[in-house]
Amino acid sequence: MSDKATLLRLIRTEGVGPRTFRRLRERFASPGEALDALPALARQVGRRGNLRIPPPAEIRRELDRHEALGARLIFLGDADYPPLLALLPDAPPVIAVKGDVALLHRPVVAVVGARNASANGRRIAADIAGELAAAGHPVASGLARGIDAAAHEAALREGTTIAAIPGGLDVVYPPEHRDLQAHIAEAGAVVAEAPPGTAPLARHFPKRNRIIAGLALGVVVIEAALRSGSLLTARYALDYGRELFAVPGSPLDPRARGGNDMIRQGAWLAESAADILANLPDRPGALFPDARIAAPPPGLGEPPDAAPETGDELDRARSEIPRLLSASPVSVDELARHCQFSTSALTAVLTELELAGRIETLPGNRVCLLSEC
């Protein structure tokens, strides 16, 4: 197999999420070596049954399907990989892009909000997205009903837009947005993390939301309930050091409570695109003050600050770390503070646990027991 095909085979292996992919690339000199080691790593922490590694023929079919769709696969570390997305600690190892890849390198602004948006909310979304696009900022959103659709349509009229979708590139959701998705693929860009044929299940939407936040310098929320996917996108944006904007609304409208609460907690109040453009940074801040805006090359070998683990330490870590985990997600940094193991030992055991299907790695560098979370 080619190097890219072998890399894709590693990415599509059961239990290999974005963080585990990074750990494997740091631990092994090549994707082929990582693939060879996976079954033994999974057995180390008690996996029952065989780890599913896709056969080469399955990977060739995926590559052929993307080619037939007119899409490009871009791997983390490639020159064309979106530079802001590459900064994420849980950046997708590979994305499929149909459309203009160059848009992913421009100063993107995300506009998200309620599916059951009001007429006024849709109008505000259209006004803001259109003005942002006219000012040279591609508008990213999630192709959902309501605010997302209004933002995409207005941005297409005045400039361009990017749609991040929760399923494969050949699966349109919602179905009535088939023409809109096709138009975006022609005049903008459609981005998918999942392989072709993947249906948009509930667990895929948070992954889609982190891509929207990761592509953008800032995220604008227009009409969002207190528990909504739009606020999840905003939370990711905050974690990733992006700027947050919210359009205020009536306290009598439940759809305004999320945005109003964001303003109360420090988000910029946005009544027009001018409010956003006046406060949009030229690079991510907060968590990335010294970050270089460029795709990092895949790591080879151990990180320089990681002490090499011993066999005894690994055995103790395999025994003790699972007992520190529960249904409640915990950050890896907090986990490291509660145990006395080296960084490399902790990383190795978390990789083994994910491959064994015992934990799930969540956005925000958190983990929880998969059987309970």
Side-chain angles (χ1 to χ4, degrees):
M1 298 181 71
S2 68
D3 291 343
K4 294 294 187 183
T6 303
L7 193 58
L8 183 60
R9 193 179 180 210
L10 176 62
I11 292 166
R12 300 301 189 214
T13 293
E14 179 186 8
V16 177
R19 289 184 179 274
T20 291
F21 172 79
R22 283 180 180 262
R23 294 170 191 143
L24 291 169
R25 294 294 282 131
E26 290 169 353
R27 186 168 179 178
F28 297 98
S30 71
E33 287 188 17
L35 282 168
D36 291 341
L38 289 183
L41 288 174
R43 288 193 297 269
Q44 290 279 7
V45 286
R47 180 183 176 87
R48 296 177 181 177
N50 294 326
L51 183 72
R52 187 183 185 280
I53 300 175
E58 182 177 320
I59 297 302
R60 284 193 292 270
R61 285 194 296 271
E62 178 177 342
L63 293 171
D64 291 343
R65 183 59 182 149
H66 277 121
E67 184 177 358
L69 289 168
R72 285 186 55 192
L73 280 177
I74 304 176
F75 293 85
L76 182 64
D78 287 352
D80 285 334
Y81 194 92
L84 295 186
L85 193 63
L87 292 175
L88 272 57
D90 53 354
V94 65
I95 55 173
V97 181
K98 186 172 182 180
D100 187 356
V101 174
L103 295 181
L104 308 180
H105 293 248
R106 289 173 57 186
V108 175
V109 179
V111 177
V112 298
R115 289 176 172 82
N116 63 333
S118 68
N120 282 337
R122 293 170 191 247
R123 178 180 175 181
I124 293 169
D127 289 346
I128 287 177
E131 291 175 25
L132 288 171
H137 294 276
V139 173
S141 199
L143 203 70
R145 301 179 179 96
I147 296 299
D148 289 20
H152 284 307
E153 290 165 353
L156 283 171
R157 289 193 296 269
E158 302 296 335
T160 191
T161 189
I162 300 165
I165 61 175
L169 281 176
D170 56 346
V171 180
V172 178
Y173 183 84
E176 64 265 28
H177 285 175
R178 182 172 301 277
D179 290 344
L180 178 57
Q181 180 169 324
H183 191 186
I184 294 173
E186 292 174 359
V190 181
V191 179
E193 183 176 6
T198 302
L201 303 177
R203 67 176 182 271
H204 297 149
F205 285 85
K207 297 177 182 179
R208 184 275 311 267
N209 292 353
R210 93 185 190 289
I211 292 176
I212 295 171
L215 288 171
L217 285 169
V219 173
V220 185
V221 175
I222 304 171
E223 294 190 343
L226 285 173
R227 293 181 178 271
S228 66
S230 300
L231 289 193
L232 182 60
T233 305
R235 192 171 304 120
Y236 292 153
L238 189 63
D239 288 344
Y240 302 148
R242 276 41 171 179
E243 208 67 49
L244 283 178
F245 304 87
V247 173
S250 168
L252 299 178
D253 188 345
R255 290 170 296 196
R257 290 178 183 170
N260 289 348
D261 191 55
M262 285 175 56
I263 295 169
R264 190 177 299 115
Q265 296 186 52
W268 292 103
L269 187 153
E271 294 180 318
S272 68
D275 296 325
I276 298 161
L277 294 171
N279 296 290
L280 191 68
D282 59 3
R283 58 183 294 142
L287 299 186
F288 304 105
D290 301 315
R292 181 172 61 90
I293 310 300
L300 299 177
E302 285 290 336
D305 60 344
E309 74 277 1
T310 65
D312 288 344
E313 183 187 24
L314 269 179
D315 288 341
R316 288 188 293 107
R318 290 176 183 130
S319 173
E320 294 181 25
I321 288 174
R323 292 200 290 266
L324 297 174
L325 300 172
S326 69
S328 299
V330 61
S331 74
V332 174
D333 290 341
E334 185 176 349
L335 190 62
R337 287 194 292 270
H338 284 288
C339 68
Q340 301 300 316
F341 302 113
S342 65
T343 301
S344 57
L346 177 61
T347 296
V349 172
L350 290 177
T351 300
E352 294 168 359
L353 288 169
E354 186 166 17
L355 291 171
R358 294 179 59 187
I359 67 168
E360 181 176 7
T361 301
L362 305 170
N365 198 21
R366 299 172 300 149
V367 293
C368 67
L369 289 179
L370 187 61
S371 60
E372 301 176 9
C373 64

